[in-house]
Amino acid sequence: MAQFFTPKSNKLKKLSKKITLDVQRLDHKGQGVADHEGKVVFIPGLLPGERGEVQLTEQKKRFAQAKLLKRMGESPLRIQPECDHFGRCGGCQVQHLSQQQQRVYKQQALLDMLSRLGGCEPDEVAEPLHGSGWHYRRRARLALKVEKGELQMGFRREGSNEIESVRRCPILVQPFSELLPQIHSLLSSLKGKRQLGHLELTRTASGDLFCLRVLKPLAEGDCALLSDFAGEHDLTVLLDEGAQVRRLDGKPLAPFAIELGEMSEPLAYLPGDFIQVNDQVNQGMVAQALDWLAPGEDDTVLELFAGIGNFSFPLARRCQSVLAVEGVDTMVARGNERARELEVDNLRFCQADLNDGEGDPLWLKPVDLLLLDPARAGAGGALTHLPAWSPKRVLYVSCNPASLARDAKLLTEQGYRLKRVGLVDMFPHTQHLESMALFEKSGL
């Protein structure tokens, strides 16, 4: 029988026998939650009200993880998933719920996290911000690997490095979704297919990008096949050779445009830069950020984890000055270059590691408003400088409810109240839970 190793006891423990559990609720990752022998058990694939035959795969002091062997009964919340790869592909974990129910569970998970881990309740819960649930993803990376002479192209399976071969993906924007079979056929025909690392597809306002990671230079014949395909489907082919990214057509590599609608001129993007994958929801999120933060023409704004300026450029239109701090120097350079092109004189980007707790006199000055958009680890290190900034309002854009809850506790302990929170459904059908939280200094 299969076994796993438990380091604390230094003993081998057998996997559990088959047990039957009833799911009461969903956690923030969309897993079913059941109780067993005084522990919480997480079971992917089950919904509240459903019973399942499961096997425990991992046991900790307070919780256990289980895999579903057999589902018994069906929740009235369950729907038929749109994608044939559901349950195997690691991308969409909650397609068995309607989009409305996905938002209901995500919003409740967000509020539970804030209460349980952050010890705070919002004065107001905003309506979830959402867009179309299908064909929304403008950027995706597909894994490539040759196995037994055949090219595998797709996404990683849940909790595995194995590739789930995908020929259809209903969350990719068109034409990427319908082109997947032809892309697979093209890459399979290349003599250098074993030299391929991954494929990144990106929709920009300047055109559709086909960025191929190559471990060794491709032969002339393979480049010709790629060029013909690009011309037929109006794609710009980029070759990522590790040390550099270059255009297959030999033209100089210049930034591509990322639209922000009426809020700003387009951002300047190159492969490797971070952008939000859901254009529709991103534009709604930026508009909501401007509304909640309410910058005035005399306000000074500090933005942390600024990227290439998703919030920076729209903010600069509405306030006295914006200082945008970002850790990746290439994105800092891109932001400053774009600001010079647009003659946005009240916006400046600077580079800093915001997670090490070190400060810089350049950005440790008092400000009127603070906006944070950190990665999953949160903004704990940066928030140690909150007394130096003393902003009247703080807008926190989060991609992880656990780190948001932890940082919300830091903010409330330093005299801020959680005025408003809202779900941002950036990734429909997935476990990812994005949100926005507005904090105001007490007494204002």
Side-chain angles (χ1 to χ4, degrees):
M1 181 178 293
Q3 297 176 316
F4 68 89
F5 182 65
T6 305
K8 287 186 177 180
S9 63
N10 203 34
K11 295 178 180 179
L12 288 174
K13 293 187 176 181
K14 294 181 179 179
L15 290 171
S16 74
K17 298 178 181 179
K18 298 176 183 178
I19 57 177
T20 301
L21 297 178
D22 295 303
V23 167
Q24 291 86 35
R25 63 189 186 281
L26 294 177
D27 75 346
H28 71 286
K29 295 182 178 181
Q31 301 178 111
V33 180
D35 296 316
H36 177 64
E37 296 182 350
K39 288 185 179 181
V40 172
V41 182
F42 300 108
I43 314 165
L46 284 184
L47 296 176
E50 293 181 340
R51 174 174 293 182
E53 186 178 82
V54 306
Q55 188 174 48
L56 302 184
T57 58
E58 181 183 10
Q59 294 205 54
K60 301 292 184 180
K61 185 176 181 180
R62 296 182 179 178
F63 69 90
Q65 194 73 38
K67 66 176 180 180
L68 177 62
L69 303 177
K70 180 181 179 182
R71 176 167 58 86
M72 295 172 279
E74 184 169 296
S75 167
L77 300 177
R78 182 177 288 274
I79 66 170
Q80 180 64 33
E82 173 71 17
C83 183
D84 298 335
H85 301 282
F86 176 75
R88 300 186 304 277
C89 175
C92 296
Q93 299 87 358
V94 290
Q95 274 195 31
H96 54 325
L97 278 173
S98 71
Q99 292 177 52
Q100 181 180 3
Q101 284 299 322
Q102 290 174 30
R103 293 192 288 271
V104 168
Y105 109 74
K106 287 182 179 182
Q107 180 168 278
Q108 188 57 55
L110 170 63
L111 297 175
D112 287 347
M113 282 279 196
L114 286 168
S115 176
R116 180 166 51 87
L117 300 181
C120 57
E121 306 285 341
D123 294 346
E124 176 188 344
V125 179
E127 285 295 316
L129 184 62
H130 63 90
S132 173
W134 303 109
H135 299 298
Y136 67 83
R137 192 175 182 103
R138 62 177 168 182
R139 181 182 182 186
R141 176 175 292 186
L142 291 96
L144 303 172
K145 185 179 181 181
V146 175
E147 293 184 352
K148 298 180 180 179
E150 298 293 326
L151 179 71
Q152 302 295 316
M153 183 186 83
F155 301 109
R156 301 293 179 185
R157 293 178 178 171
E158 185 71 29
S160 170
N161 284 324
E162 293 185 11
I163 297 174
E164 174 68 16
S165 295
V166 173
R167 302 294 179 269
R168 174 179 174 267
C169 179
I171 67 170
L172 286 187
V173 297
Q174 299 291 15
F176 293 150
S177 180
E178 64 184 19
L179 276 180
L180 289 180
Q182 297 174 64
I183 291 173
H184 179 263
S185 178
L186 165 71
L187 298 182
S188 296
S189 71
L190 300 183
K191 292 182 178 180
K193 62 184 178 182
R194 293 184 181 275
Q195 298 159 203
L196 306 180
H198 60 253
L199 170 64
E200 187 166 283
L201 302 171
T202 308
R203 158 69 51 83
T204 76
S206 308
D208 294 332
L209 310 184
F210 185 103
C211 187
L212 196 59
R213 175 73 171 99
V214 293
L215 306 180
K216 294 181 180 179
L218 295 177
E220 185 175 333
D222 286 347
C223 290
L225 289 174
L226 289 169
S227 181
D228 290 345
F229 187 83
E232 181 181 353
H233 298 287
D234 197 20
L235 301 170
T236 298
V237 176
L238 307 173
L239 297 179
D240 178 357
E241 298 170 334
Q244 68 170 346
V245 177
R246 63 180 180 88
R247 294 180 61 129
L248 180 64
D249 59 15
K251 295 179 182 179
L253 182 62
F256 301 91
I258 298 295
E259 291 283 1
L260 283 178
E262 297 179 353
M263 293 173 293
S264 169
E265 294 295 324
L267 306 178
Y269 164 82
L270 283 177
D273 294 343
F274 173 80
I275 58 169
Q276 295 287 1
V277 301
N278 191 324
D279 179 32
Q280 181 184 13
V281 172
N282 180 60
Q283 292 196 35
M285 180 177 68
V286 174
Q288 184 166 278
L290 296 174
D291 179 49
W292 288 16
L293 201 55
E297 61 182 13
D298 295 325
D299 285 332
T300 57
V301 180
L302 175 64
E303 181 189 359
L304 306 181
F305 312 95
I308 57 175
N310 192 48
F311 297 101
S312 319
F313 286 92
L315 282 168
R317 280 187 170 189
R318 293 160 176 80
C319 65
Q320 182 186 112
S321 67
V322 177
L323 180 60
V325 186
E326 165 58 40
V328 181
D329 54 3
T330 54
M331 288 197 281
V332 170
R334 195 111 54 249
N336 279 324
E337 182 179 358
R338 186 59 173 155
R340 286 191 296 270
E341 290 174 354
L342 298 175
E343 298 182 345
V344 182
D345 299 327
N346 64 337
L347 170 60
R348 179 181 177 185
F349 287 78
C350 68
Q351 194 275 335
D353 182 353
L354 290 166
N355 292 313
D356 66 2
E358 292 294 325
D360 187 307
L362 177 66
W363 49 270
L364 282 184
K365 302 173 183 178
V367 294
D368 297 305
L369 305 171
L370 174 64
L371 187 149
L372 309 100
D373 186 10
R376 293 189 60 81
L383 285 175
T384 60
H385 304 299
L386 190 63
W389 300 317
S390 191
K392 56 187 176 184
R393 287 188 294 278
V394 177
L395 184 66
Y396 194 122
V397 181
S398 167
C399 61
N400 182 358
S403 57
L404 170 62
R406 181 204 64 204
D407 292 345
K409 187 174 183 180
L410 292 175
L411 282 155
T412 55
E413 288 174 347
Q414 295 192 54
Y416 289 81
R417 78 177 191 276
L418 179 55
K419 183 177 181 181
R420 187 180 301 141
V421 70
L423 173 70
V424 178
D425 198 14
M426 186 71 71
F427 299 91
H429 312 297
T430 78
Q431 67 183 18
H432 296 295
L433 196 167
E434 307 236 341
S435 60
M436 295 172 62
L438 178 67
F439 299 83
E440 281 194 354
K441 186 183 291 187
S442 300
L444 290 181

